[in-house]
């Protein structure tokens, strides 16, 4: 009887251990955990594979950029009394990494040309127009003429006309520009940066909407 019990007990124990071992190696919880981990990993990979990278800003200096469709990036409209400040602004813009091309009337107007012709050409051949509105600007009929030309070129205030107020009360802000936000020049360096950023934003949007880029 003892021998028979030992005989029955030994296979039973071995069988139980084998069963336990087999159960442990392929337990549902382990498989489930493994599957969950695999699934999680798969989801992670899938997520990372479909995650959208941020849209890169267009290169406004590319050879096929619509920026080159016009001769100038910026035309500075100003009175004769503000030449010194305008020369500082032009120097700042032209020294930027983008090397903005500025039209400065005293420097770039063709000798012997009619004033009206030069002002109209400067507006038509520039992407953006900076209106340096000072007391002198408001009293200069040529400044107002150039302002009206710019508004006729782009009446919908799409970022091309950039009014900059200096030493002018808000109540004296030209009625023709009341639908356009202006930059108030309190700190010169800050205002120069704002002008630069505004021109840059317009050129980037121009390149972004270009048919060549969309293709």
């Amino acid at each position: 009887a003892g021998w028979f019990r030992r005989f029955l007990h030994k296979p039973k124990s071995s069988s139980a251990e084998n069963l336990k071992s087999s159960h442990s190696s392929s337990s549902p919880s382990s498989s489930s955990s493994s599957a969950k981990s695999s699934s999680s990993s798969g989801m992670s990979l899938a997520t990372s594979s479909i995650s959208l990278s941020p849209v890169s800003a267009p290169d406004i200096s590319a050879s096929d950029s619509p920026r080159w469709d016009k001769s100038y990036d910026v035309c500075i409209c100003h009175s004769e009394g503000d030449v010194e400040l305008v020369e500082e602004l032009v120097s700042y813009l032209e020294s930027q990494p983008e090397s903005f091309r500025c039209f400065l009337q005293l420097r770039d107007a063709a000798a012997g040309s009619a004033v009206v012709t030069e002002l109209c050409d400067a507006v038509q051949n520039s992407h953006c127009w900076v209106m340096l509105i000072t007391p002198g600007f408001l009293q200069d009929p040529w400044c107002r003429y150039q302002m009206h030309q710019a508004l006729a070129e782009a009446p919908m205030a799409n970022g091309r006309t950039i009014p900059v107020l200096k030493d002018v009360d808000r109540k004296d802000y030209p009625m023709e520009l009341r639908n356009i936000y202006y930059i108030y020049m309190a700190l010169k360096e800050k205002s120069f940066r704002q002008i630069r950023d505004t021109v840059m934003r317009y050129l980037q949007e121009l390149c972004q909407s270009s048919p060549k880029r969309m293709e």
Side-chain angles (χ1 to χ4, degrees):
W3 172 85
F4 185 69
R5 279 197 304 270
R6 285 197 301 273
F7 176 79
L8 292 178
H9 177 72
K10 190 172 182 180
K12 185 177 181 180
S13 174
S14 176
S15 176
E17 286 178 4
N18 290 338
L19 182 60
K20 183 178 180 181
S21 174
S22 173
H23 178 76
S24 173
S25 63
S26 60
S27 62
S29 60
S30 176
S31 299
S32 174
S33 175
S34 176
K36 184 177 181 181
S37 174
S38 175
S39 174
S40 174
S41 176
M43 290 175 63
S44 176
L45 289 172
T47 303
S48 63
S49 65
I50 64 174
S51 60
L52 299 177
S53 58
V55 178
S56 58
D59 180 11
I60 66 171
S61 298
S63 59
D64 61 344
S65 170
R67 174 189 182 185
W68 311 120
D69 293 345
K70 294 184 178 294
S71 303
Y72 301 97
D73 298 314
V74 191
C75 173
I76 315 294
C77 308
H78 64 93
S79 68
E80 291 186 10
D82 300 313
V83 170
E84 185 176 341
L85 176 60
V86 171
E87 287 178 339
E88 288 186 58
L89 172 60
V90 168
S91 178
Y92 171 82
L93 292 174
E94 292 181 342
S95 65
Q96 295 301 300
E98 297 79 17
S99 299
F100 293 111
R101 302 163 300 155
C102 301
F103 177 86
L104 184 59
Q105 185 177 349
L106 294 179
R107 181 191 67 183
D108 300 316
S113 297
V115 174
V116 173
T117 301
E118 285 298 309
L119 294 181
C120 290
D121 287 348
V123 169
Q124 293 174 356
N125 292 320
S126 300
H127 287 293
C128 298
W129 312 291
V130 172
M131 305 288 169
L132 183 58
I133 302 173
T134 63
F137 182 100
L138 297 176
Q139 297 171 9
D140 190 331
W142 288 117
C143 288
R144 299 192 74 91
Y145 177 81
Q146 199 168 24
M147 176 182 70
H148 290 146
Q149 291 299 314
L151 291 174
E153 189 79 14
M156 301 306 294
N158 60 348
R160 299 182 69 183
T161 302
I162 309 170
V164 181
L165 265 65
K166 185 178 186 299
D167 302 328
V168 171
D169 292 334
R170 184 173 181 178
K171 62 182 179 62
D172 296 322
Y173 186 50
M175 287 294 298
E176 300 93 327
L177 302 175
R178 289 296 170 93
N179 65 322
I180 304 175
Y181 286 111
Y182 59 81
I183 296 172
Y184 187 79
M185 186 176 287
L187 297 175
K188 183 169 58 179
E189 293 77 9
K190 180 180 179 181
S191 299
F192 283 8
R193 286 196 302 271
Q194 288 179 298
I195 294 170
R196 181 259 177 198
D197 292 345
T198 305
V199 174
M200 186 70 175
R201 181 167 58 249
Y202 174 79
L203 292 177
Q204 288 180 335
E205 291 176 353
L206 177 67
C207 294
Q208 189 75 44
S209 60
S210 170
K212 293 179 182 179
R213 180 178 175 85
M214 292 176 69
E215 290 174 1

